[in-house]
């Protein structure tokens, strides 16, 4: 199976296959469940609150909205 990784100066964001969909994570924290990896990337790029980063909005990390700009990882 494949997943996706985006590295930031604070750590890596992942979009990985999950039960009946996809999950976005940062560190050990789940950032939510999504119907597709494209949906997850778009939501992270547009801004989600990340509890691991003291309520920092993910839109401040310049996360790419397009999966082609993410690193493909095998899980």
């Amino acid at each position: 199976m494949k997943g996706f990784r985006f590295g930031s100066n604070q750590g890596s964001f992942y979009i990985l296959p999950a039960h009946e969909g996809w999950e976005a994570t940062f560190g050990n924290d789940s950032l939510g469940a999504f119907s597709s990896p494209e949906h997850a990337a778009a939501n992270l790029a547009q801004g989600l609150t990340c509890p691991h980063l003291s309520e920092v909005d993910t839109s401040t990390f310049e996360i790419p909205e397009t999966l082609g700009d993410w690193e493909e990882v095998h899980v």
Side-chain angles (χ1 to χ4, degrees):
M1 298 187 111
K2 71 177 178 178
F4 303 91
R5 177 191 169 280
F6 172 72
S8 75
N9 61 354
Q10 297 289 321
S12 294
F13 291 87
Y14 288 90
I15 300 172
L16 302 171
H19 182 68
E20 297 185 19
W22 294 80
E23 180 181 28
T25 63
F26 180 82
N28 293 325
D29 293 319
S30 174
L31 301 178
F34 300 90
S35 59
S36 70
E38 294 83 5
H39 185 232
N43 276 267
L44 289 171
Q46 294 168 10
L48 291 174
T49 300
C50 184
H52 184 70
L53 297 172
S54 302
E55 305 299 321
V56 171
D57 186 324
T58 60
S59 66
T60 64
F61 288 90
E62 299 180 11
I63 296 171
E65 191 168 341
T66 305
L67 282 179
D69 296 327
W70 287 63
E71 175 187 355
E72 190 174 304
V73 295
H74 296 278
V75 293

